[in-house]
PDB file of all heavy atoms in Angstrom:
ATOM      1  N   GLN A 424      -8.198  -7.932  26.266  1.00 94.00           N
ATOM      2  CA  GLN A 424      -6.825  -8.128  26.790  1.00 94.00           C
ATOM      3  C   GLN A 424      -6.654  -7.387  28.090  1.00 94.00           C
ATOM      4  O   GLN A 424      -5.882  -7.869  29.062  1.00 94.00           O
ATOM      5  CB  GLN A 424      -5.765  -7.773  25.728  1.00 94.00           C
ATOM      6  CG  GLN A 424      -4.353  -8.208  26.113  1.00 94.00           C
ATOM      7  CD  GLN A 424      -3.474  -7.820  24.899  1.00 94.00           C
ATOM      8  OE1 GLN A 424      -3.267  -6.611  24.687  1.00 94.00           O
ATOM      9  NE2 GLN A 424      -2.900  -8.774  24.278  1.00 94.00           N
ATOM     10  N   ARG A 425      -7.073  -6.156  28.116  1.00 95.00           N
ATOM     11  CA  ARG A 425      -6.783  -5.224  29.294  1.00 95.00           C
ATOM     12  C   ARG A 425      -7.874  -5.359  30.378  1.00 95.00           C
ATOM     13  O   ARG A 425      -7.851  -4.714  31.434  1.00 95.00           O
ATOM     14  CB  ARG A 425      -6.689  -3.836  28.859  1.00 95.00           C
ATOM     15  CG  ARG A 425      -5.601  -3.512  27.872  1.00 95.00           C
ATOM     16  CD  ARG A 425      -5.695  -2.183  27.229  1.00 95.00           C
ATOM     17  NE  ARG A 425      -5.681  -1.020  28.132  1.00 95.00           N
ATOM     18  CZ  ARG A 425      -4.596  -0.448  28.714  1.00 95.00           C
ATOM     19  NH1 ARG A 425      -3.406  -0.833  28.243  1.00 95.00           N
ATOM     20  NH2 ARG A 425      -4.746   0.596  29.471  1.00 95.00           N
ATOM     21  N   GLY A 426      -8.909  -6.231  30.089  1.00 96.00           N
ATOM     22  CA  GLY A 426     -10.030  -6.471  31.101  1.00 96.00           C
ATOM     23  C   GLY A 426     -11.065  -5.398  31.221  1.00 96.00           C
ATOM     24  O   GLY A 426     -11.812  -5.441  32.089  1.00 96.00           O
ATOM     25  N   THR A 427     -11.036  -4.458  30.217  1.00 97.00           N
ATOM     26  CA  THR A 427     -12.182  -3.427  30.272  1.00 97.00           C
ATOM     27  C   THR A 427     -13.351  -3.897  29.575  1.00 97.00           C
ATOM     28  O   THR A 427     -14.426  -3.243  29.630  1.00 97.00           O
ATOM     29  CB  THR A 427     -11.552  -2.207  29.583  1.00 97.00           C
ATOM     30  OG1 THR A 427     -11.004  -2.498  28.312  1.00 97.00           O
ATOM     31  CG2 THR A 427     -10.441  -1.548  30.476  1.00 97.00           C
ATOM     32  N   VAL A 428     -13.320  -5.088  28.805  1.00 97.00           N
ATOM     33  CA  VAL A 428     -14.431  -5.640  28.273  1.00 97.00           C
ATOM     34  C   VAL A 428     -14.535  -7.010  28.608  1.00 97.00           C
ATOM     35  O   VAL A 428     -13.531  -7.873  28.447  1.00 97.00           O
ATOM     36  CB  VAL A 428     -14.400  -5.527  26.709  1.00 97.00           C
ATOM     37  CG1 VAL A 428     -15.600  -6.319  26.034  1.00 97.00           C
ATOM     38  CG2 VAL A 428     -14.281  -4.057  26.229  1.00 97.00           C
ATOM     39  N   ASP A 429     -15.594  -7.564  29.214  1.00 96.00           N
ATOM     40  CA  ASP A 429     -15.747  -8.948  29.678  1.00 96.00           C
ATOM     41  C   ASP A 429     -16.314  -9.691  28.527  1.00 96.00           C
ATOM     42  O   ASP A 429     -16.751  -9.265  27.467  1.00 96.00           O
ATOM     43  CB  ASP A 429     -16.540  -9.003  30.988  1.00 96.00           C
ATOM     44  CG  ASP A 429     -18.029  -8.472  30.847  1.00 96.00           C
ATOM     45  OD1 ASP A 429     -18.512  -8.592  29.701  1.00 96.00           O
ATOM     46  OD2 ASP A 429     -18.666  -8.174  31.915  1.00 96.00           O
ATOM     47  N   ALA A 430     -16.423 -10.966  28.758  1.00 95.00           N
ATOM     48  CA  ALA A 430     -16.823 -11.955  27.731  1.00 95.00           C
ATOM     49  C   ALA A 430     -18.264 -11.646  27.233  1.00 95.00           C
ATOM     50  O   ALA A 430     -18.566 -11.643  26.111  1.00 95.00           O
ATOM     51  CB  ALA A 430     -16.757 -13.387  28.240  1.00 95.00           C
ATOM     52  N   GLU A 431     -19.139 -11.256  28.223  1.00 96.00           N
ATOM     53  CA  GLU A 431     -20.562 -10.974  27.846  1.00 96.00           C
ATOM     54  C   GLU A 431     -20.637  -9.787  26.919  1.00 96.00           C
ATOM     55  O   GLU A 431     -21.358  -9.741  25.962  1.00 96.00           O
ATOM     56  CB  GLU A 431     -21.457 -10.914  29.003  1.00 96.00           C
ATOM     57  CG  GLU A 431     -22.903 -10.670  28.697  1.00 96.00           C
ATOM     58  CD  GLU A 431     -23.816 -10.436  29.969  1.00 96.00           C
ATOM     59  OE1 GLU A 431     -23.249 -10.782  31.038  1.00 96.00           O
ATOM     60  OE2 GLU A 431     -24.966 -10.105  29.842  1.00 96.00           O
ATOM     61  N   GLN A 432     -19.919  -8.731  27.397  1.00 96.00           N
ATOM     62  CA  GLN A 432     -19.919  -7.531  26.605  1.00 96.00           C
ATOM     63  C   GLN A 432     -19.292  -7.791  25.226  1.00 96.00           C
ATOM     64  O   GLN A 432     -19.690  -7.348  24.215  1.00 96.00           O
ATOM     65  CB  GLN A 432     -19.043  -6.417  27.226  1.00 96.00           C
ATOM     66  CG  GLN A 432     -19.734  -5.902  28.532  1.00 96.00           C
ATOM     67  CD  GLN A 432     -18.738  -5.033  29.269  1.00 96.00           C
ATOM     68  OE1 GLN A 432     -17.607  -5.289  29.531  1.00 96.00           O
ATOM     69  NE2 GLN A 432     -19.229  -3.798  29.632  1.00 96.00           N
ATOM     70  N   GLY A 433     -18.191  -8.611  25.189  1.00 96.00           N
ATOM     71  CA  GLY A 433     -17.586  -8.951  24.006  1.00 96.00           C
ATOM     72  C   GLY A 433     -18.568  -9.715  22.973  1.00 96.00           C
ATOM     73  O   GLY A 433     -18.468  -9.343  21.717  1.00 96.00           O
ATOM     74  N   ARG A 434     -19.372 -10.602  23.473  1.00 94.00           N
ATOM     75  CA  ARG A 434     -20.183 -11.233  22.657  1.00 94.00           C
ATOM     76  C   ARG A 434     -21.231 -10.314  22.014  1.00 94.00           C
ATOM     77  O   ARG A 434     -21.674 -10.406  20.865  1.00 94.00           O
ATOM     78  CB  ARG A 434     -20.905 -12.368  23.412  1.00 94.00           C
ATOM     79  CG  ARG A 434     -20.090 -13.616  23.632  1.00 94.00           C
ATOM     80  CD  ARG A 434     -20.926 -14.724  24.223  1.00 94.00           C
ATOM     81  NE  ARG A 434     -21.294 -14.532  25.619  1.00 94.00           N
ATOM     82  CZ  ARG A 434     -20.471 -14.923  26.609  1.00 94.00           C
ATOM     83  NH1 ARG A 434     -19.272 -15.465  26.501  1.00 94.00           N
ATOM     84  NH2 ARG A 434     -20.909 -14.745  27.938  1.00 94.00           N
ATOM     85  N   GLU A 435     -21.703  -9.302  22.781  1.00 96.00           N
ATOM     86  CA  GLU A 435     -22.633  -8.345  22.284  1.00 96.00           C
ATOM     87  C   GLU A 435     -21.986  -7.574  21.231  1.00 96.00           C
ATOM     88  O   GLU A 435     -22.563  -7.222  20.158  1.00 96.00           O
ATOM     89  CB  GLU A 435     -23.188  -7.378  23.484  1.00 96.00           C
ATOM     90  CG  GLU A 435     -24.112  -8.172  24.432  1.00 96.00           C
ATOM     91  CD  GLU A 435     -24.507  -7.205  25.626  1.00 96.00           C
ATOM     92  OE1 GLU A 435     -24.020  -6.033  25.586  1.00 96.00           O
ATOM     93  OE2 GLU A 435     -25.223  -7.733  26.506  1.00 96.00           O
ATOM     94  N   LEU A 436     -20.823  -7.088  21.486  1.00 96.00           N
ATOM     95  CA  LEU A 436     -20.096  -6.223  20.565  1.00 96.00           C
ATOM     96  C   LEU A 436     -19.802  -6.943  19.205  1.00 96.00           C
ATOM     97  O   LEU A 436     -19.858  -6.413  18.076  1.00 96.00           O
ATOM     98  CB  LEU A 436     -18.793  -5.637  21.138  1.00 96.00           C
ATOM     99  CG  LEU A 436     -18.979  -4.688  22.309  1.00 96.00           C
ATOM    100  CD1 LEU A 436     -17.672  -4.503  23.028  1.00 96.00           C
ATOM    101  CD2 LEU A 436     -19.478  -3.316  21.733  1.00 96.00           C
ATOM    102  N   ILE A 437     -19.470  -8.160  19.373  1.00 94.00           N
ATOM    103  CA  ILE A 437     -19.213  -9.042  18.113  1.00 94.00           C
ATOM    104  C   ILE A 437     -20.469  -9.309  17.384  1.00 94.00           C
ATOM    105  O   ILE A 437     -20.532  -9.272  16.140  1.00 94.00           O
ATOM    106  CB  ILE A 437     -18.426 -10.264  18.550  1.00 94.00           C
ATOM    107  CG1 ILE A 437     -17.059  -9.988  18.964  1.00 94.00           C
ATOM    108  CG2 ILE A 437     -18.381 -11.295  17.333  1.00 94.00           C
ATOM    109  CD1 ILE A 437     -16.256 -11.101  19.483  1.00 94.00           C
ATOM    110  N   GLY A 438     -21.547  -9.566  18.209  1.00 92.00           N
ATOM    111  CA  GLY A 438     -22.789  -9.824  17.572  1.00 92.00           C
ATOM    112  C   GLY A 438     -23.183  -8.670  16.649  1.00 92.00           C
ATOM    113  O   GLY A 438     -23.757  -8.788  15.574  1.00 92.00           O
TER     114      GLY A 438
END
Side-chain angles (χ1 to χ4, degrees):
Q424 189 180 65
R425 294 167 64 87
T427 51
V428 175
D429 61 28
E431 183 179 351
Q432 292 171 311
R434 283 190 288 272
E435 292 177 1
L436 291 166
I437 290 173

